[in-house]
Amino acid sequence: MAQLKYSTIEELEDKYLGTIGTPRRDAFEAAVNEDIRAYHIGEAIKQARKNKNMTQEELGELMGVKKAQVSRIESGHTFNLSTVARAFKALGLHVNLEVEGGLKMALW
C-alpha cells in the first residue's frame, strides 16, 4: 500500500503561492485583503439597507442603478469609492474616510 504524505497548510502555501515576502505571495495576500475589505464594505451597505427595511430594488432606484448592481455591491464586487458614497448617501448615512497619517474626509 502506498504511503501518504501529509503537508501542513504552510507548506502548501509556500509550494503553490511562494514563500512569505516573494512578489507572488505578496500579490496574492494583497488581493485577498482587498477582497476581504470589499466584502466588509458590501456587508455594511447590506446591513444598513436592511435596517431601513429597504429592498435592493428600492436602494437601486435611490442610487440610480439596477437591483443587480446593488447585489454586486453588497457581495463585495464591482464598486468604487464613488459608488460606496452614493449607496450610503441614498441610505441617509454619513460616512467618513480616514487615511493612515491622520487625513480624514467625509464621503457623505
Side-chain angles (χ1 to χ4, degrees):
M1 180 176 255
Q3 193 74 351
L4 293 178
K5 180 186 181 303
Y6 293 96
S7 299
T8 66
I9 188 72
E10 291 82 9
E11 291 170 334
L12 293 173
E13 288 173 335
D14 289 348
K15 179 178 178 180
Y16 293 104
L17 302 174
T19 57
I20 293 174
T22 60
R24 183 171 162 202
R25 177 74 169 264
D26 289 348
F28 172 79
E29 290 179 355
V32 168
N33 287 332
E34 186 176 321
D35 287 346
I36 290 170
R37 283 189 296 275
Y39 169 80
H40 286 291
I41 291 169
E43 277 297 306
I45 292 169
K46 181 196 293 187
Q47 287 305 312
R49 175 183 59 77
K50 287 184 173 188
N51 288 344
K52 296 211 178 251
N53 295 314
M54 294 174 71
T55 64
Q56 288 181 336
E57 188 170 347
E58 291 169 331
L59 178 56
E61 287 174 16
L62 291 173
M63 292 176 63
V65 300
K66 296 185 187 243
K67 176 187 178 286
Q69 177 67 17
V70 173
S71 177
R72 286 190 294 273
I73 292 166
E74 289 182 352
S75 64
H77 302 297
T78 39
F79 65 80
N80 56 38
L81 200 53
S82 161
T83 305
V84 170
R86 281 191 7 226
F88 282 115
K89 181 178 180 181
L91 291 164
L93 299 173
H94 294 277
V95 177
N96 294 311
L97 174 67
E98 185 174 340
V99 180
E100 191 175 315
L103 174 66
K104 294 181 183 181
M105 64 187 298
L107 291 181
W108 163 248

